[in-house]
Amino acid sequence: MAQIIYFKQLTSTNDYAKEHIDELEHQSIIYTDLQTKGKGRMGKNWSAKGENILMSLVYKNQIGDISLFPLLSALAVAKTLQQQIDFPVQIKWPNDIILNQKKICGILCESIIGGAQTHVVCGIGINVNMTQEQFEIDRLPYATSLQVELNRTFDRLPIIKQVGQQMNQLVSQFQQNGFLALKQEYEELLINRGKQVQVIYQNQVKTGIALGITEAGNLICDCDGERLFIHSGEASVRGLYGYV
Ligand code: BTN
């Protein structure tokens, strides 16, 4: 296991990892209690009050395809949570983790490109000991935490270590054997599959049924008989996060 580095407070674990990438070992884990400028996907912020997991995993000098790191991170978190709590966990494409129809974890992967090699920082925010009251104050009706769902508090460090180990295994499996076997595991957890989804395709809002993902990690949607491959963005799932 590589280094695990803890800070009481940071602006963002992803920003710290990117700024200190030269000093950090491959597979390092950075975690903190509080982020003052936590970043979410698509320019949103990620504020997490209470005892939650705010961590980044560092993968240095990657030479292969890095576009699947967000999906691998989602699988690593989903598998870890399933083992920790013995409760069904699902993935909303590309990388939200869902427990009991609500979001429990968000993931933001960033890369630093330097010549032929790329460093990847996988930022993971898991709501662990956040209370229902805190979600209400923060007006987050579609979020949940381990504490809310299971009615007890959790130690964060064992979960952080397990996510790191799980991700290291998945990255090496992916690099040795490709994504095919992992794609099946991912699709088994995919909440979008077989459901009505709303996606943005070529700047247009489209509605269709999600069929699964491609080997490149794109979401496959059947929109009125036309098969669309969604490369990036969101796929709102009917019945989830208020989408009716
Ligand atoms: C999302 O919008 O769903 C992604 C949220 C990612 C949040 C995590 S918390 C740890 C890491 N550091 C950040 O600044 N963001 C990610």
Side-chain angles (χ1 to χ4, degrees):
M1 169 71 70
Q3 49 187 171
I4 300 182
I5 309 170
Y6 164 77
F7 294 93
K8 186 114 203 78
Q9 180 175 322
L10 281 177
T11 50
S12 145
T13 55
N14 273 25
D15 284 349
Y16 177 87
K18 290 198 297 175
E19 282 155 21
H20 296 83
I21 197 75
D22 291 336
E23 304 127 54
L24 292 170
E25 286 173 21
H26 175 56
Q27 300 183 337
S28 298
I29 301 177
I30 321 294
Y31 77 103
T32 187
D33 285 345
L34 186 74
Q35 291 186 138
T36 52
K37 280 190 189 158
K39 301 185 296 184
R41 290 179 69 235
M42 294 185 278
K44 293 185 193 146
N45 67 351
W46 184 266
S47 75
K49 299 187 191 95
E51 283 199 347
N52 294 305
I53 290 176
L54 303 162
M55 66 185 282
S56 295
L57 298 169
V58 175
Y59 292 92
K60 290 186 75 170
N61 305 315
Q62 299 298 299
I63 41 175
D65 180 11
I66 59 154
S67 65
L68 286 159
F69 272 76
L71 279 72
L72 296 176
S73 307
L75 202 48
V77 174
K79 287 173 81 147
T80 300
L81 292 184
Q82 244 160 9
Q83 283 162 17
Q84 289 274 343
I85 61 178
D86 195 19
F87 207 83
V89 177
Q90 289 170 296
I91 300 171
K92 176 178 169 289
W93 184 87
N95 55 10
D96 280 0
I97 307 297
I98 309 294
L99 190 65
N100 199 11
Q101 302 289 310
K102 291 183 176 175
K103 178 163 169 172
I104 191 156
C105 166
I107 294 169
L108 174 69
C109 292
E110 298 185 85
S111 56
I112 305 149
I113 299 165
Q117 297 186 328
T118 303
H119 308 303
V120 186
V121 172
C122 301
I124 298 169
I126 308 176
N127 300 328
V128 179
N129 297 319
M130 189 116 163
T131 61
Q132 185 58 44
E133 200 184 358
Q134 283 164 326
F135 286 125
E136 279 159 23
I137 294 167
D138 287 352
R139 299 210 179 114
L140 294 169
Y142 307 122
T144 194
S145 68
L146 290 178
Q147 151 135 350
V148 168
E149 298 301 329
L150 291 125
N151 228 359
R152 66 179 176 92
T153 55
F154 285 78
D155 278 348
R156 290 168 296 167
L157 196 53
I159 305 178
I160 291 171
K161 285 184 181 165
Q162 205 180 332
V163 169
Q165 279 162 1
Q166 192 69 253
M167 181 65 175
N168 296 347
Q169 269 176 29
L170 289 170
V171 170
S172 85
Q173 261 178 277
F174 166 60
Q175 284 167 347
Q176 279 164 33
N177 308 320
F179 189 57
L180 199 59
L182 300 175
K183 166 176 133 61
Q184 199 177 335
E185 263 192 84
Y186 180 97
E187 282 181 323
E188 277 162 19
L189 301 179
L190 187 64
I191 197 167
N192 309 65
R193 203 176 191 186
K195 301 246 175 67
Q196 185 179 311
V197 293
Q198 202 172 67
V199 292
I200 308 285
Y201 182 76
Q202 294 179 345
N203 293 326
Q204 282 185 333
V205 179
K206 299 260 186 182
T207 302
I209 303 293
L211 304 177
I213 57 165
T214 65
E215 253 193 86
N218 302 319
L219 187 72
I220 311 167
C221 288
D222 182 328
C223 296
D224 295 328
E226 193 188 358
R227 196 161 279 209
L228 304 182
F229 299 94
I230 313 302
H231 301 270
S232 60
E234 286 290 338
S236 309
V237 178
R238 187 155 185 209
L240 200 67
Y241 303 177
Y243 165 44
V244 285

